[in-house]
């Protein structure tokens, strides 16, 4: 099934990530791969071991980084403290730099864009991340843009967590056409009815989330090379 | 942390399920548990082994059925052929019947409601499932209702896949209030912008999905006690 014409979409796994950041786009791409022989999906990790998430669920990748060195599309999920830790993981950063050289699309969900930033891939690029972390993009030379997903060249960065589903459907439309994207959308019955309505950004709990963000950074970056840069008093 | 006052939300794992059916609600409930000591979340399986999904990702539960015999809330995800197979798994059905006796809420996502139906729990109840499978609810004595989520007594059944997120946020509002639900919604930045817009149900690909549904039933129910009932020529 997998030949030279099949493009691999690699979703990256690392310990402690936000499960939905990964699984939203993964489900979209898996439906695409189910209807199009042009795509296959892999979940790539440093090894094949199960990793913990920010939920009680453990996740097991299908492939190692080494087994998928040159995916056509690579997607990096985000999270809290463990994502800051991952942003200092040289093996992960090296994998992303290498993949980015040949990939058609380098995507992220939520704070996954901070890992791309730490890999030096977002310098001079427009990008987004979880709303509570937007200010940190500038630390990596990126220009924060508050949109559901942001495209700049081969880089495609989504807003927080659930935005990965929107971004993935956008990417499917770009890759395979709107008709296929609509079919995938019917497949996952993505016809959202948030019971409290859309988010009212004038009521965003900025202070609460700023405290959580600071705590996550302290925990994730303690003792890492990024500590001095981000953990100022 | 877990005392007699803490309510357990158990998300059920079985082989071959649709990953997003599980992870959407799981993420919502995990954020709730992160801000409220009244709730904890468990992912329950027959054993602690990793199970495959309809994506390349493997999922590992945090607990066994036996370890969480009486959750306050139980949530059953759906899927394709493997979900029909699961609907004939007597250990899973026995767990759900037992949990339903004492649970405050018995919920499902997508075709997870067909498992509840097979367990005999939806007789005379209003319920929903993935739009492509709605007709099968009547086989289990349930009354199909085409809403994003359907409540009937302690039973709460969502539409397909992504509807689990809406249902879970609705449940959080019911359990912990609208303010908490809005906080969780900000946490997962659930402010949907489907790039192709909402689903246009006048253009639903009924024939295509009917063929897939039939294939999934044939594969999942072959050789099971439900074969005679559902696999008519």
């Amino acid at each position: 099934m997998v030949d030279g014409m099949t493009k691999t979409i690699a979703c990256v796994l690392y310990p402690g990530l936000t499960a939905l950041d990964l699984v939203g786009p993964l489900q979209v791409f898996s439906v695409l791969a189910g209807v199009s022989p042009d795509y296959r999906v892999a979940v790539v990790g440093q090894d094949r071991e199960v990793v913990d998430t920010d939920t009680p669920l453990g996740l097991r990748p299908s492939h190692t980084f080494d087994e998928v060195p040159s995916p056509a599309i690579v997607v990096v999920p985000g999270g809290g403290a463990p994502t800051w830790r991952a942003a200092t993981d040289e093996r992960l950063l090296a994998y992303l730099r290498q993949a980015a050289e040949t990939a058609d699309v380098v995507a992220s969900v939520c704070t996954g864009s901070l890992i791309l930033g730490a890999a030096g891939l977002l310098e001079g690029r427009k990008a987004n991340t979880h709303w509570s972390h937007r200010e940190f993009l500038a630390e990596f030379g990126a220009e924060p843009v508050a949109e559901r997903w942001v495209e700049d060249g081969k880089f495609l960065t989504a807003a927080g967590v659930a935005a990965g589903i929107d971004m993935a459907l956008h990417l499917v439309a770009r890759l395979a056409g709107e008709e296929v994207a609509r079919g995938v959308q019917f497949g996952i019955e993505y016809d959202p009815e948030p019971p409290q309505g859309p988010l009212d950004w004038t009521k965003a709990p900025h202070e609460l989330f700023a405290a959580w963000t600071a705590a996550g950074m302290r925990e994730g970056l303690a003792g890492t090379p990024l500590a001095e840069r981000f953990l100022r008093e």
Side-chain angles (χ1 to χ4, degrees), chain A:
Chain A
M1 295 289 289
V2 177
D3 58 35
M5 297 294 95
T6 305
K7 294 191 168 193
T8 299
I9 303 174
C11 298
V12 174
L13 200 57
Y14 58 84
L17 54 75
T18 292
L20 185 53
D21 283 24
L22 178 86
V23 172
L26 174 67
Q27 195 72 55
V28 169
F29 297 136
S30 294
V31 178
L32 171 67
V35 297
S36 167
D38 297 341
Y39 295 93
R40 69 158 192 160
V41 182
V43 178
V44 297
Q46 286 197 1
D47 53 40
R48 298 279 192 102
E49 295 301 306
V50 173
V51 305
D52 289 330
T53 68
D54 67 346
T55 78
L57 191 67
L59 303 182
R60 187 188 60 195
S62 61
H63 293 78
T64 65
F65 293 163
D66 291 343
E67 289 170 330
V68 188
S70 307
I73 293 149
V74 60
V75 186
V76 189
T83 298
W84 285 106
R85 178 70 54 161
T88 70
D89 176 342
E90 283 303 329
R91 278 182 68 190
L92 174 58
L93 299 180
Y95 176 69
L96 293 173
R97 287 186 198 108
Q98 175 194 324
E101 276 182 33
T102 50
D104 300 326
V105 179
V106 179
S108 64
V109 179
C110 196
T111 54
S113 58
L114 301 177
I115 301 178
L116 295 180
L121 294 168
L122 294 183
E123 220 148 310
R125 302 272 181 190
K126 291 180 168 59
N128 203 1
T129 187
H130 192 279
W131 62 273
S132 63
H133 284 64
R134 212 174 277 134
E135 64 187 296
F136 301 112
L137 282 168
E139 296 277 348
F140 298 113
E143 181 190 331
V145 177
E147 286 171 6
R148 195 70 178 157
W149 64 85
V150 176
E151 282 187 292
D152 188 337
K154 67 167 70 175
F155 294 90
L156 174 59
T157 55
V161 195
I165 299 172
D166 295 325
M167 180 198 77
L169 285 168
H170 162 75
L171 188 52
V172 168
R174 207 177 106 185
L175 295 170
E178 295 218 348
E179 205 49 38
V180 172
R182 267 190 216 98
V184 174
Q185 190 180 348
F186 273 110
I188 64 164
E189 203 163 342
Y190 185 54
D191 200 27
E193 292 185 29
Q196 275 72 45
L199 287 172
D200 177 354
W201 289 102
T202 67
K203 293 184 181 155
H206 286 285
E207 280 182 34
L208 183 64
F209 278 75
W212 287 339
T213 297
M217 286 177 71
R218 275 196 304 277
E219 183 188 333
L221 292 181
T224 74
L226 287 182
E228 204 171 321
R229 195 155 143 207
F230 284 93
L231 301 183
R232 301 181 199 109
E233 288 311 302

